[in-house]
Amino acid sequence: MIVDVLVKRLREFFKEERQLEYAEGSYGITSLLNCRKKAELRKQYSDIKVENVEIDNGFMFEFFVKKVLQDIIPESLFFPEFTFVVPFEDILVQPHIDVVLFGKQSIYSIEVKSVKKVEFEKLPREDVLTHDLVMNYSPKLPAKYIKQAQLQKFFLSKHLKGKKIIQLLLVSCLAVSGNNSKRVFLEYLVDDISEEEVKRHIAKWKTTYPLEPYECDYCMYAPYCSIMKKEVEQCF
């Protein structure tokens, strides 16, 4: 009984904290990393919600990261849920960056992630891995998360022309190496993505349904999707 009430209230709280607004006709970075039909169906069936423990953990970690940074970073330099709109390749892109910090020489763009587990080449000795230590252990972070951060940096660079931007992934995860594991926090410095790569990705996103073959198996909107209905009809 207690856990039911607790989790329900936690989910309501994080839902209130995580209300993202988008300009008319714009797409977020997450939408660009998934099937375009999914983004369209999400708007059409906005009452459908996904709730699971992994999402809850992600929201909790993000909330507390922002809370701590808010306490230690001057208000004039700290921008949580930093958003803007950039026109690109005939679409409007609207990132929502978890945290942006405006330093004197650089702007830090931070994407916060809680990941179930990450394979490491060898198990780290440290519990907290700064970006200069991370590569000593060769973590295999999810490629989609890295691309998400790369796209955020790319569009932030378009928005803040001429500024030096450092893009970080701040990750809480279970580090796994062979039969050994431990929980760690890590800071991952994200490389640039070229404009040509972004254009290729957008072109594929505009024309390929689903964007990746496995997406339909996990999509909550599959029962409402015209693509899926056509595939089912072809089986009979």
Side-chain angles (χ1 to χ4, degrees):
M1 183 67 174
I2 292 175
V3 72
D4 288 341
V5 174
L6 174 64
V7 172
K8 181 180 178 182
R9 184 64 193 100
L10 279 171
R11 286 175 171 168
E12 288 172 352
F13 174 77
F14 289 120
K15 180 182 176 182
E16 292 165 5
E17 289 287 319
R18 200 73 169 83
Q19 293 287 350
L20 303 182
E21 296 183 359
Y22 289 90
E24 184 67 30
S26 67
Y27 293 94
I29 299 296
T30 302
S31 292
L32 296 179
L33 290 169
N34 293 284
C35 176
R36 187 173 184 176
K37 289 291 292 183
K38 184 176 182 179
E40 295 168 357
L41 290 167
R42 184 185 294 118
K43 294 177 182 178
Q44 186 176 347
Y45 297 96
S46 57
D47 56 321
I48 298 177
K49 305 296 181 187
V50 178
E51 293 180 338
N52 62 53
V53 175
E54 293 305 318
I55 293 175
D56 297 337
N57 286 342
F59 283 163
M60 282 190 280
F61 182 51
E62 180 183 332
F63 174 81
F64 287 114
V65 166
K66 290 176 178 176
K67 181 73 176 96
V68 171
L69 288 175
Q70 189 174 28
D71 290 342
I72 63 176
I73 303 292
E75 186 178 352
S76 61
L77 308 178
F78 171 75
F79 292 84
E81 217 57 64
F82 190 78
T83 188
F84 51 92
V85 178
V86 177
F88 187 78
E89 295 294 286
D90 300 323
I91 64 170
L92 295 177
V93 180
Q94 185 172 0
H96 284 78
I97 302 174
D98 290 338
V99 177
V100 173
L101 306 176
F102 284 79
K104 291 182 179 179
Q105 297 180 342
S106 303
I107 296 171
Y108 291 83
S109 172
I110 303 172
E111 177 63 23
V112 182
K113 294 293 185 189
S114 175
V115 185
K116 184 185 294 186
K117 67 175 182 178
V118 175
E119 295 286 342
F120 280 65
E121 191 172 280
K122 56 181 178 179
L123 200 67
R125 295 187 301 274
E126 303 87 353
D127 297 326
V128 180
L129 302 170
T130 55
H131 67 82
D132 54 333
L133 288 174
V134 163
M135 299 318 295
N136 293 336
Y137 301 103
S138 302
K140 296 178 181 177
L141 290 169
K144 183 174 278 190
Y145 291 165
I146 294 174
K147 194 162 191 177
Q148 178 184 0
Q150 288 177 322
L151 290 173
Q152 286 179 344
K153 181 179 182 180
F154 175 82
F155 288 112
L156 185 59
S157 298
K158 292 278 186 187
H159 179 63
L160 301 175
K161 291 182 173 64
K163 303 292 186 180
K164 181 181 178 182
I165 295 170
I166 297 173
Q167 178 70 50
L168 298 172
L169 271 171
L170 184 60
V171 179
S172 169
C173 69
L174 180 69
V176 177
S177 180
N179 295 322
N180 300 313
S181 64
K182 65 184 290 189
R183 294 210 64 86
V184 299
F185 296 104
L186 67 88
E187 176 187 72
Y188 185 89
L189 185 63
V190 178
D191 295 332
D192 291 341
I193 188 171
S194 70
E195 184 151 340
E196 291 71 26
E197 287 179 90
V198 178
K199 286 181 177 179
R200 285 197 297 271
H201 178 85
I202 297 294
K204 180 182 178 183
W205 176 80
K206 285 180 177 180
T207 58
T208 307
Y209 308 102
L211 191 62
E212 301 295 343
Y214 59 82
E215 286 185 89
C216 295
D217 295 337
Y218 302 98
C219 183
M220 73 197 82
Y221 303 105
Y224 312 98
C225 179
S226 58
I227 305 298
M228 282 293 290
K229 288 177 181 176
K230 287 179 182 177
E231 289 186 3
V232 171
E233 288 170 1
Q234 289 171 3
C235 294
F236 296 95

